């Protein structure tokens, strides 16, 4: 018997970052949108905990107990006092170290899959609590849709979205480490007053209306200058996407994936073609959102 869970990637349409906290994290106003790029996590009973991964970026995925999927299985097994004797297989389509919550998706997927496989019967609240222990973005991977994340991003409030938004994503030829991007944010912020992060009312209204032009005018990412400082070549796909008619261009989360909001599906195709021909990125994908969170198949 095995259980497979499908989990989406995310893009941050707003990422407002506050000053570093004493625990090293940053308070955020993080507006997540789940988009239709998916990892599939399959768990099967086995003699011991084992992780395997397939997909174009599989070689970059750690298969030891640092993998968030393995940590999710361990966390649930420990709470139930059982052995985490499970083979976790990840069919990976979300870019690795790309700022699209691929690792978080695998954590949320493995948790839900193990809960079903073991008949652990964890409540939604318990699943969310385990997700928050695993990482700041993991609760959102479980719930999907659109949500405002506060605290370090793990405290979620679901958001209403009045339509489908069409996105193009350009993958870079190397990854960026999230802690390194936050450290660079701190370095760039030195000597400046950092305001409390708050969600933009215009952005929330644009989401609720499903209005791509209004959303384009309101998107923002406080980590973008830090990502560009560590990875200056990211300016090239951003410029290529803008030139191709994207309504908005931004770094996705801590990067280095760049995200392009298009007016409709046709325009997304056009932006994707231009990016593919621009030689500024490794690969290009189209995905729309919002979509559902982790789902048992
Ligand atoms: O929570 P997660 O493990 O995904 O965070 C990875 C790293 O990103 C943290 O160790 C921290 O350096 C940084 N981070 C942060 N503030 C947040 C979320 C993440 O500084 N709100």
């Amino acid at each position: 018997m095995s259980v497979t869970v499908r989990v989406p990637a995310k893009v941050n349409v707003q990422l407002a970052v506050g000053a570093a906290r004493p625990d090293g994290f940053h308070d955020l106003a993080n507006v997540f949108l789940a988009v239709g790029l998916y990892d599939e996590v399959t768990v099967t009973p086995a003699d011991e905990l084992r992780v395997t991964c397939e997909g174009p970026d599989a070689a970059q995925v750690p298969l030891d107990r640092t993998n968030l999927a393995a940590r999710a299985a361990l966390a649930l097994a420990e709470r139930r006092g059982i052995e985490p004797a499970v083979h976790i297989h990840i069919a990976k389509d979300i870019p690795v170290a790309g700022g699209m919550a691929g690792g978080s998706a695998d954590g949320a997927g493995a948790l839900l899959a193990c809960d079903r496989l073991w008949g652990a019967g964890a409540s939604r609240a318990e699943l969310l609590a385990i997700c928050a222990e695993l990482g700041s973005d993991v609760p959102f991977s479980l719930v999907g849709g659109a949500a405002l994340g506060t605290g370090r991003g793990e405290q979620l409030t679901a958001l209403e979205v009045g339509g489908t938004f069409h996105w193009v994503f350009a993958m870079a030829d190397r990854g960026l480490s999230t802690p390194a991007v936050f450290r660079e944010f701190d370095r760039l912020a030195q000597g400046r007053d950092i305001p409390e992060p708050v969600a933009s009312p215009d952005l929330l209204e644009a989401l609720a209306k499903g209005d791509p032009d209004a959303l384009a005018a309101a998107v923002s990412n406080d980590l973008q200058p830090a990502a560009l400082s560590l990875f200056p070549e990211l300016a090239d796909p951003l410029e290529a996407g803008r030139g191709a008619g994207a309504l908005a261009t931004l770094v996705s989360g801590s990067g280095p994936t760049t995200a392009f909001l298009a007016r409709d599906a046709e325009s997304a195709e056009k932006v994707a073609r231009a990016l593919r021909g621009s030689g500024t990125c490794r690969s290009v994908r189209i995905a729309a959102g919002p979509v559902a969170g982790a789902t048992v198949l």
Side-chain angles (χ1 to χ4, degrees):
M1 208 218 25
S2 58
V3 178
T4 298
V5 173
R6 190 172 87 149
V7 198
K10 59 87 179 161
V11 61
N12 307 86
V13 289
Q14 185 189 1
L15 184 42
V17 182
R21 313 191 309 201
D23 66 1
F25 284 90
H26 296 70
D27 278 323
L28 305 178
N30 193 353
V31 183
F32 296 102
L33 183 71
V35 295
L37 274 184
Y38 299 94
D39 282 0
E40 283 185 11
V41 182
T42 300
V43 298
T44 312
D47 290 340
E48 57 181 6
L49 180 61
R50 191 161 73 89
V51 181
T52 55
C53 184
E54 67 174 270
D57 289 353
Q60 298 165 54
V61 176
L63 301 179
D64 60 13
R65 291 184 174 207
T66 63
N67 188 300
L68 278 177
R71 287 180 44 209
L74 287 164
L76 183 62
E78 191 176 330
R79 280 176 176 240
R80 292 296 182 274
I82 61 176
E83 285 298 316
V86 70
H87 171 204
I88 303 172
H89 182 69
I90 302 166
K92 177 152 276 304
D93 199 34
I94 304 175
V96 175
M100 296 191 75
S104 298
D106 301 342
L111 181 64
L112 189 57
C114 286
D115 180 67
R116 291 300 167 90
L117 183 72
W118 297 334
S123 66
R124 195 75 172 167
E126 186 181 14
L127 292 174
L128 283 170
I130 299 173
C131 286
E133 282 169 19
L134 295 171
S136 307
D137 288 350
V138 184
F140 180 72
S141 296
L142 188 74
V143 305
L148 168 64
T150 53
R152 61 187 167 84
E154 88 287 13
Q155 294 164 26
L156 298 178
T157 308
L159 295 174
E160 194 197 324
V161 182
T164 296
F165 293 100
H166 298 271
W167 294 88
V168 181
F169 297 97
M171 308 342 176
D173 55 11
R174 64 179 167 94
L176 267 179
S177 135
T178 300
V181 174
F182 274 102
R183 277 197 303 275
E184 183 68 0
F185 172 88
D186 291 337
R187 194 184 68 80
L188 295 174
Q190 262 168 21
R192 276 198 294 127
D193 233 12
I194 311 283
E196 285 289 312
V198 284
S200 149
D202 289 349
L203 181 115
L204 299 184
E205 192 183 321
L207 281 176
K209 282 190 174 153
D211 179 342
D213 289 292
L215 184 64
V219 293
S220 67
N221 179 359
D222 287 353
L223 291 181
Q224 183 156 322
L228 279 166
S229 166
L230 297 176
F231 200 155
E233 303 88 332
L234 289 183
D236 299 337
L238 289 175
E239 196 183 312
R242 206 173 295 123
L247 297 178
T249 66
L250 77 165
V251 170
S252 178
S254 58
T257 301
T258 42
F260 306 87
L261 179 62
R263 178 163 287 116
D264 50 31
E266 198 183 323
S267 159
E269 291 286 351
K270 187 171 156 239
V271 171
R273 263 197 310 277
L275 280 164
R276 284 194 185 104
S278 71
T280 62
C281 50
R282 175 169 61 99
S283 59
V284 176
R285 300 291 299 271
I286 293 177
V291 296
T295 306
V296 179
L297 296 183

